[in-house]
């Protein structure tokens, strides 16, 4: 029986359950680092007084600037200092740094530092940053706040819109949000007294990349820096880019010759870590008489904050929107302008889903708004428009491998029993009070992409591949060293299942080593729903090589043909016979009796493999049922159904965990979570009393059904699944809220749909029924 | 007039943690969470917000779940404190709640897990027959960013049901 496909318990868990995991804040034994941060959104630094290090100290040591680069003509290149130089550009920007013996002492020292800053007007929000005469965030480098602007159009777009049977215009807005890992960021560095080698432990997603950029900044060989991501308490994209604080922690430990640690507090995390999602989409869509989406024109703006993030740059949100906006649909004509606009606010990094929650919100609101105008219901309009011929090449050249776009929707609709829901809704409409609504969302998710996809972005560094080193030791146990960097996903367990099947052992005899640059091959880490596809694929290929080696050893020992050897249950046997040898015995021979190996064979049992696929598309359909109280604007989610196709499920329990956790973040993005600035650029949401992640009280159980299209785009047949939950949920919830209030003529296209926004939408409603009618 | 110690001058404190007396010197301003983590070396108690919302630092104080980031160490003198490190048996056997979280996939990154385990232990010990709705309400005290909560609820419910069976 195969191990792949079974929901075995996670090998990661016992340590975490006993409370003996090792997160950065648990290491201890270090002086405390505290950053002094700008209290104003924009200003000129006149003086910094007090017991602190500033940019002058970094400059004196020759520390370099961060350069997050896209090689494209419409991209503004900047050199970002590790501490503010001359100007501050957002509330929370690090200006100075202090070191104390304890965290309390460091806080006391930080309070003694006086920042003399001349405040300047700030550009806040998309409209504020784009307005004529808006304060410029980087006046020396650019005469506008537009930092990247992609544009493309297929021929004939304007004509296609002109001759469309129906044209639908739509604006959707996504508020600014934070990934909010429960463990905030942090780092801990120790420099050896002799030799001068530094070890950095940091709460990050990509240790090898972080080592490269810190060594570039500090002018040191990579061999002299070991970077370890110990247990990481959630990340969701926020711990992917370089944190300037981590580079400064390394610099301080080398300069002071003592261990130092920075443990970010929650207020810093909300104010000055990374934000995401502040976007506006304006769509014009042309449908033909059969309700096919023929032409799609989009204007996208993402407020990307004050600085780019390394290495992904501030192109990540706007350019993903440009490339992936057509989603699961097939417009023949597509045109888009997508801009990243800088503002005096916290910089942006990827957050689970990146642009796709907003892309999907735009497309799925479009379908629900277009449906009644075309005399259709939300199911039928999607049925007519979802991709069904594979592979499909999008107008931007993305190849969609085989999926189940329509099948997923049909299954979801059957599962929820739409007819029964409409009957309940009919009764509730007559009764008044809270109104039930239902919302459908279908989407595709590009996952598991390697170098080709990143190369198309023309990044200063090009991520993509993953390498795996795999060895069987003399005891017959397998060690898998990976470049990916799991932080709670359960990748170690899933990889051990793949290895166990290929080499005929059980997962208990497999150990996965990750997240330590001294012990793993160079790789890119865990992000972008890639680890199972990339590290899983490389592991699968390496395990096959190991199996081949074991097969030839067994053939030699058993005097049989290598093709006849079967590896299973810890034994190598000759097919169809009981003649066999323990795999552990073969491991002994490979290491300790190499005189018995065939001439020319390499001693030991070590192999390595790389994997670098073009990518694959997962797909799903989400259905949300909500109750909306038109009098209070309160929304409660009553039911949530997911039909997901993520290809082969290596460990279904883990996959469901990824989906469920993602959906809950998506529901919160749709209804609760928003980073708010006032008009002067002061951030108003710096505690968990102001920024509202959901508790179990706001969240229903999530019903999950699977379709399993074994992808030919990946060697394991698995597709990525880390982000899908968060991508689909906002649109499903917003469509449900609109459905609930359709009889009042309400149209609400902004997330989060807070009670305030729902009430405003009810007050300004036309009174003319709109929306789905099936 | 009583002399008041300065907040940053350490005073002797005795904490009774998981059945053992710990003699430490702690500044009056030191929180119970910091004292457990840094003076007692019990880093299983995690800090997620330090303002009493997330519940990652939940420990039991005389059987009641409390936020250890909102208490000073000096306030906990004389109380029985229990942390995640005290949940498993001395021989290493996992507590039924730890087993259930493992079996039901009630954790992913594991950062909130000690807080949820101690919250659940406190709730089930004081209200072993707690109803589903009340249990959900009690568990809404803490935040988890990974699991979506459903598997945590299922884990705790399974322990309640097994104990009552």
């Amino acid at each position: 029986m195969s191990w792949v496909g079974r929901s075995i318990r996670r090998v990661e868990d016992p340590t975490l359950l006993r409370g003996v995991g090792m997160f950065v804040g648990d290491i201890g034994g270090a002086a405390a680092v505290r950053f002094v941060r700008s209290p104003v959104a924009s200003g000129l630094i006149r003086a910094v007084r007090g017991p602190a290090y500033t940019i002058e100290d970094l400059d004196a040591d020759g520390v370099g600037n961060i350069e997050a680069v896209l090689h494209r003509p419409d991209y503004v290149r900047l050199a970002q200092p590790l501490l503010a130089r001359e100007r501050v550009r957002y509330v929370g920007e690090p200006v100075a740094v202090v070191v104390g013996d304890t965290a309390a002492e460091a806080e006391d020292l930080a309070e003694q530092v006086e920042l003399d800053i001349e405040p300047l007007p700030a550009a806040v929000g998309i409209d504020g940053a784009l307005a004529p005469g808006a304060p410029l965030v980087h006046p020396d480098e650019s005469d506008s706040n537009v930092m990247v602007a992609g544009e493309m159009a297929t021929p004939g777009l304007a004509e296609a819109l002109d001759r469309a049977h129906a044209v639908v215009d739509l604006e959707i807005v996504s508020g600014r949000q934070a990934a909010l890992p429960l463990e905030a960021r942090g780092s801990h560095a120790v420099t050896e007294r002799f030799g001068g080698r530094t070890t950095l432990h940091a709460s990050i997603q990509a240790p090898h990349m972080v080592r490269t950029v810190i060594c570039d900044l500090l002018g040191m060989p990579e061999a002299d820096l070991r970077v370890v991501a110990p247990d990481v308490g959630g990340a969701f994209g926020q711990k992917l880019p370089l944190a300037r604080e981590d580079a400064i922690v390394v610099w301080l430990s080398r300069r002071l010759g003592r261990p130092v640690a920075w443990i970010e507090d929650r207020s810093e995390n909300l104010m000055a870590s990374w934000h995401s999602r502040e976007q506006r989409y304006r769509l014009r869509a042309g449908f033909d008489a059969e309700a096919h989406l023929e032409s799609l024109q989009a204007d996208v703006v993402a407020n990307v904050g004050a600085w780019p993030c390394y290495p992904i740059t501030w192109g990540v949100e706007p350019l993903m929107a440009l490339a992936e906006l057509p989603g699961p649909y097939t417009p023949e004509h597509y045109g888009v302008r997508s801009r990243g606009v800088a503002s005096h606010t916290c910089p942006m990094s990827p957050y689970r889903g990146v642009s796709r929650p907003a892309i999907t919100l735009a497309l799925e609101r479009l379908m629900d708004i277009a449906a009644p105008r075309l005399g259709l219901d939300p199911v039928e309009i999607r049925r007519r428009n979802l991709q069904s011929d594979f592979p499909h090449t999008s107008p931007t050249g993305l190849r969609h491998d085989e999926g189940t776009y329509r099948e997923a929707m049909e299954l979801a609709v059957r599962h929820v029993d739409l007819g029964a829901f409409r009957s309940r809704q009919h009764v509730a409409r007559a009764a008044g009070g809270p109104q039930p609504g239902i919302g459908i969302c279908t989407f595709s998710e590009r996952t598991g992409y390697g170098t080709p996809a990143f190369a198309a972005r023309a990044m200063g560094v090009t991520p993509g591949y993953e390498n795996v080193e795999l060895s069987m030791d003399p005891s017959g146990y397998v060690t898998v060293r990976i470049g990916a960097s799991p932080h709670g996903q359960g990748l170690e367990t899933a990889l051990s299942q793949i290895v166990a099947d290929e080499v005929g052992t059980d997962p208990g005899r497999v150990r996965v080593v990750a997240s330590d640059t001294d012990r793993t091959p160079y790789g890119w880490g865990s992000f972008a729903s890639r680890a199972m596809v990339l590290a899983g694929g490389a592991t699968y290929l390496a395990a096959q090589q190991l199996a081949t080696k074991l097969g030839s050893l067994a053939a030699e020992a058993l005097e049989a043909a290598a093709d006849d050897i079967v590896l299973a249950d810890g034994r190598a046997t000759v097919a169809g016979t009981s003649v066999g040898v323990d795999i552990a015995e073969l491991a002994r021979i490979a290491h300790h009796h190499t005189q018995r190996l065939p001439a020319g064979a390499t001693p030991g049992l070590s192999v390595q493999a790389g994997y670098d696929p073009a990518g694959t598309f997962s797909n799903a359909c989400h259905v949300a049922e909500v109750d909306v109280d038109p009098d209070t604007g309160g929304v409660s989610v009553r039911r949530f159904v997911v039909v997901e196709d993520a290809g082969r499920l290596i460990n279904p329990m883990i996959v469901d965990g990824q989906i469920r956790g993602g959906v809950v973040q998506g529901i919160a993005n749709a209804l609760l979570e928003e980073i708010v600035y006032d008009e002067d650029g002061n951030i108003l949401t710096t505690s968990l009393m102001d920024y509202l992640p959901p508790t179990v009280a706001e969240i229903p159980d999530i019903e999950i059904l699977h379709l399993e299209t074994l992808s030919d785009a990946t060697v394991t047949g698995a597709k990525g699944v880390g982000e899908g939950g968060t991508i689909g949920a906002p649109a499903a919830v917003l469509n449900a809220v609109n459905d609930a209030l359709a009889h009042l003529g309400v149209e609400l296209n902004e997330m989060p749909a807070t009670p305030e926004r729902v009430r405003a939408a009810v007050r300004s409603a036309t009174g003319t029924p709109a929306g789905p009618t099936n | 007039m009583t002399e008041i110690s300065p907040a940053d001058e350490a005073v002797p404190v005795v904490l009774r943690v998981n059945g053992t007396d710990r003699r430490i010197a702690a500044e009056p301003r030191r929180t119970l969470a910091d004292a457990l983590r840094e003076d007692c070396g019990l880093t299983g108690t995690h800090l997620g917000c330090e303002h009493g919302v997330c519940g990652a630092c939940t420990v039991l104080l005389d059987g009641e779940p409390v936020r250890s980031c909102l208490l000073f160490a000096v306030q906990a003198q004389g109380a029985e404190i229990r942390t995640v490190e005290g949940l498993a048996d001395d021989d290493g056997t996992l507590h039924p709640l730890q087993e259930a979280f493992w079996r039901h996939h009630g954790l992913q990154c594991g950062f909130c897990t000690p807080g949820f385990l101690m919250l659940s232990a406190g709730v089930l010990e004081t209200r072993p027959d707690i109803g589903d709705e009340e249990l959900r309400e009690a568990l809404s005290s803490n935040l988890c960013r990974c699991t979506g909560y459903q598997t945590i609820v299922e884990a705790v419910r399974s322990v309640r049901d097994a104990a009552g069976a």
Side-chain angles (χ1 to χ4, degrees):
Chain A
M1 183 173 157
S2 96
W3 288 100
V4 166
R6 288 164 65 179
S7 294
I8 65 169
R9 300 209 280 188
R10 303 199 319 168
V11 298
E12 293 88 342
D13 289 356
T15 307
L16 297 168
L17 287 163
R18 290 176 193 277
V20 294
M22 180 63 79
F23 297 86
V24 169
D26 301 339
I27 300 170
V33 172
R34 180 97 187 155
F35 288 88
V36 182
R37 297 176 181 277
S38 174
V40 298
S42 175
L44 295 175
I45 301 171
R46 285 196 291 235
V48 178
R49 300 182 196 94
Y53 300 96
T54 67
I55 188 63
E56 290 178 19
D57 299 290
L58 290 160
D59 286 344
D61 273 2
V63 175
N65 299 308
I66 305 168
E67 299 193 36
V69 172
L70 293 182
H71 296 292
R72 42 188 296 150
D74 55 31
Y75 184 85
V76 178
R77 284 183 74 151
L78 299 171
Q80 181 191 13
L82 290 185
L83 291 170
R85 177 186 284 127
E86 294 167 17
R87 279 176 183 272
V88 290
R89 291 178 169 85
Y90 62 97
V91 171
E93 176 154 37
V95 179
V97 58
V98 300
V99 181
D101 287 339
T102 64
E105 193 186 306
E107 282 195 48
D108 292 345
L109 283 171
E111 281 179 16
Q112 293 169 29
V113 177
E114 187 192 335
L115 303 183
D116 183 356
I117 297 175
E118 178 187 334
L120 295 172
V124 183
I126 288 173
D127 289 331
L130 285 177
L136 296 177
V137 182
H138 294 280
D140 296 336
E141 289 84 3
S142 177
D143 57 8
S144 96
N145 285 323
V146 176
M147 293 293 147
V148 58
E151 204 158 346
M152 70 153 287
T154 55
L157 173 66
E159 296 78 5
L161 281 166
D162 281 347
R163 68 163 184 265
H165 171 74
V167 172
V168 177
D169 288 298
L170 166 68
E171 175 176 307
I172 76 112
V173 173
S174 167
R176 179 173 279 241
Q177 294 170 331
L180 204 82
L182 205 56
E183 178 207 30
R185 299 177 304 163
S187 46
H188 177 290
V190 180
T191 299
E192 292 164 15
R193 192 168 297 180
F194 302 104
R197 198 164 187 265
T198 303
T199 298
L200 170 71
H201 283 81
S203 192
I204 52 178
Q205 293 174 246
H208 289 278
M209 184 276 289
V210 164
R211 184 179 67 161
T212 294
V213 61
I214 289 178
C215 288
D216 285 351
L217 290 166
L218 302 187
M220 57 189 285
E222 293 205 34
D224 288 349
L225 180 63
R226 175 187 182 194
V227 178
V228 182
D231 288 320
V232 171
F236 315 114
Q238 192 184 83
K239 296 172 180 177
L240 174 60
L242 171 72
R244 342 187 203 185
E245 291 88 347
D246 291 353
I248 289 173
V249 164
V250 173
W251 174 71
L252 283 169
S253 90
R254 295 175 70 81
R255 181 181 170 113
L256 302 177
R258 66 189 292 203
V260 293
W262 165 65
I263 305 301
E264 185 179 56
D265 68 30
R266 183 52 61 189
S267 156
E268 284 181 289
N269 180 259
L270 281 164
M271 173 172 58
S273 177
W274 303 95
H275 295 162
S276 301
R277 301 246 202 284
E278 186 178 345
Q279 295 189 354
R280 184 183 67 202
Y281 289 67
R282 288 180 176 149
L283 299 188
R284 168 162 291 186
F287 292 84
D288 70 13
E290 275 77 49
H292 294 124
L293 174 64
E294 256 195 340
S295 46
L296 180 64
Q297 188 173 42
D299 186 66
V300 181
V301 188
N303 179 352
V304 293
W307 289 104
C309 66
Y310 182 95
I312 312 101
T313 80
W314 46 19
V316 61
E317 285 199 3
L319 297 182
M320 177 185 282
L322 181 149
E324 299 188 23
L325 181 56
Y329 302 113
T330 58
E332 190 182 337
H333 304 283
Y334 172 58
V336 58
R337 175 177 67 160
S338 189
R339 292 170 290 171
V341 57
S343 64
H344 290 105
T345 58
C346 179
M348 290 281 189
S349 79
Y351 166 33
R352 198 175 201 170
V354 194
S355 279
R356 287 160 298 191
I359 290 172
T360 304
L361 180 62
L363 288 173
E364 295 306 285
R365 287 297 302 133
L366 173 68
M367 287 296 157
D368 270 19
I369 289 167
R373 296 190 200 174
L374 293 158
L376 300 176
D377 66 49
V379 174
E380 182 58 28
I381 192 169
R382 288 175 173 81
R383 194 176 278 142
R384 294 190 187 184
N385 278 287
L386 286 167
Q387 287 174 26
S388 56
D389 290 328
F390 301 101
H392 168 76
T393 302
S394 79
T396 56
L398 300 179
R399 180 188 181 273
H400 289 246
D401 53 329
E402 190 173 351
T404 49
Y405 299 77
R406 290 186 189 177
E407 296 87 338
M409 181 184 69
E410 305 289 357
L411 178 55
V413 168
R414 278 200 308 276
H415 181 77
V416 296
D417 194 347
L418 201 51
F421 174 85
R422 292 293 178 210
S423 306
R424 284 202 304 282
Q425 188 180 43
H426 188 71
V427 173
R429 290 261 160 98
Q435 291 297 306
I438 195 163
I440 297 173
C441 166
T442 51
F443 64 95
S444 62
E445 181 198 359
R446 190 185 187 196
T447 65
Y449 40 95
T451 305
F454 288 101
R457 297 183 189 176
M459 294 168 68
V461 294
T462 308
Y465 58 87
E466 283 300 338
N467 284 324
V468 166
E469 294 170 2
L470 197 146
S471 58
M472 180 175 279
D473 63 33
S475 71
Y477 277 58
V478 180
T479 299
V480 189
R481 300 171 191 278
I482 62 173
S485 191
H487 41 275
Q489 296 91 342
L491 185 67
E492 295 93 325
T493 302
L495 295 183
S496 74
Q497 292 177 260
I498 290 175
V499 171
D501 276 355
E502 295 309 310
V503 306
T505 185
D506 73 77
R509 289 168 182 257
V510 180
R511 302 284 184 267
V512 176
V513 177
S515 310
D516 180 345
T517 59
D518 267 12
R519 299 198 295 152
T520 59
Y522 203 96
W524 291 99
S526 290
F527 57 95
S529 303
R530 69 193 300 275
M532 192 63 249
V533 175
L534 275 290
T539 298
Y540 173 77
L541 295 172
Q544 285 190 322
Q545 290 181 39
L546 180 61
T548 303
K549 278 186 178 256
L550 290 169
S552 34
L553 282 175
E556 188 82 9
L558 300 171
E559 298 181 346
D563 286 350
D564 291 339
I565 302 296
V566 177
L567 303 174
D569 301 325
R571 299 265 299 164
T573 47
V574 180
T577 75
S578 59
V579 177
V581 57
D582 285 349
I583 289 174
E585 175 64 19
L586 297 175
R588 290 280 175 192
I589 293 170
H591 291 88
H592 297 164
H593 301 286
T594 52
Q595 75 280 7
R596 291 169 61 184
L597 299 182
T602 310
L605 285 170
S606 295
V607 296
Q608 72 92 31
Y611 189 49
D612 198 7
T616 174
F617 280 81
S618 306
N619 68 271
C621 178
H622 290 190
V623 182
E625 286 183 29
V626 301
D627 281 348
V628 184
D629 187 332
D631 296 328
T632 66
V635 178
S636 31
V637 182
R638 292 292 174 204
R639 187 178 186 196
F640 204 100
V641 173
V642 175
V643 178
E644 172 83 31
D645 189 341
R648 187 188 302 281
L649 307 179
I650 308 295
N651 182 317
M653 174 190 81
I654 288 174
V655 172
D656 285 354
Q658 287 294 309
I659 294 169
R660 205 168 267 131
V663 164
V664 169
Q665 286 188 15
I667 291 173
N669 290 172
L671 296 175
L672 297 169
E673 297 185 18
E674 187 170 22
I675 296 278
V676 180
Y677 285 90
D678 72 12
E679 58 193 15
D680 297 320
N682 298 302
I683 183 167
L684 306 179
T685 44
T686 59
S687 82
L688 297 180
M689 269 91 82
D690 316 301
Y691 190 84
L692 302 175
T695 73
V696 69
E698 286 81 44
I699 297 299
D701 284 354
I702 313 295
E703 301 161 51
I704 301 173
L705 294 84
H706 291 285
L707 296 169
E708 215 170 334
T709 304
L710 301 186
S711 177
D712 61 1
T714 76
V715 289
T716 56
K719 302 179 173 191
V721 74
E723 298 169 275
T726 313
I727 291 169
V733 171
L734 265 285
N735 275 345
V737 170
N738 278 281
D739 179 58
L741 302 175
H743 60 298
L744 304 175
V746 166
E747 194 172 309
L748 175 54
N749 297 322
E750 185 169 0
M751 75 174 192
T754 56
E756 191 181 1
R757 288 200 178 100
V758 173
R759 277 296 302 151
V762 170
R763 276 197 301 272
S764 65
T766 60
T768 311
T773 51
N774 64 330
Chain B
M1 207 170 104
T2 313
E3 196 172 313
I4 298 172
S5 319
D8 57 357
E9 203 167 283
V11 297
V13 179
V14 182
L15 295 179
R16 187 163 182 78
V17 188
N18 301 328
T20 304
D21 282 340
R22 308 267 188 160
R23 290 165 203 287
I24 63 169
E27 298 166 1
R29 67 178 178 178
R30 197 158 187 73
T31 64
L32 176 59
D34 283 345
L36 289 170
R37 291 175 50 79
E38 293 174 30
D39 300 312
C40 303
L42 297 170
T43 55
T45 298
H46 294 155
L47 289 168
C49 71
E50 294 179 277
H51 54 264
V53 176
C54 79
C57 67
T58 302
V59 300
L60 299 184
L61 197 77
D62 290 332
E64 287 291 328
V66 297
R67 313 285 211 220
S68 62
C69 76
L70 292 186
L71 280 167
F72 293 116
V74 292
Q75 292 176 281
Q77 286 207 95
E80 287 283 346
I81 303 162
R82 286 166 59 201
T83 71
V84 68
E85 289 90 346
L87 264 190
D89 281 351
D90 290 342
D91 67 1
T93 307
L94 292 178
H95 184 279
L97 279 165
Q98 291 170 311
E99 275 288 340
F101 272 61
W102 193 8
R103 195 168 54 248
H104 289 270
H105 193 25
L107 67 156
Q108 289 183 26
C109 81
F111 195 79
C112 74
T113 309
F116 265 106
L117 286 169
M118 299 317 292
L119 171 67
S120 312
V123 168
L124 291 187
E125 284 170 20
T126 50
R127 302 159 71 187
D129 51 359
I130 186 169
D132 284 351
E133 276 308 304
E134 291 77 10
L135 178 61
R136 216 174 169 86
E137 192 183 324
L139 293 177
S140 74
S141 310
N142 285 14
L143 296 178
C144 168
R145 194 61 166 165
C146 297
T147 63
Y149 298 108
Q150 186 174 336
T151 51
I152 293 176
V153 175
E154 287 167 1
V156 180
R157 235 170 16 207
S158 77
V159 174
R160 177 202 62 189
D161 294 346

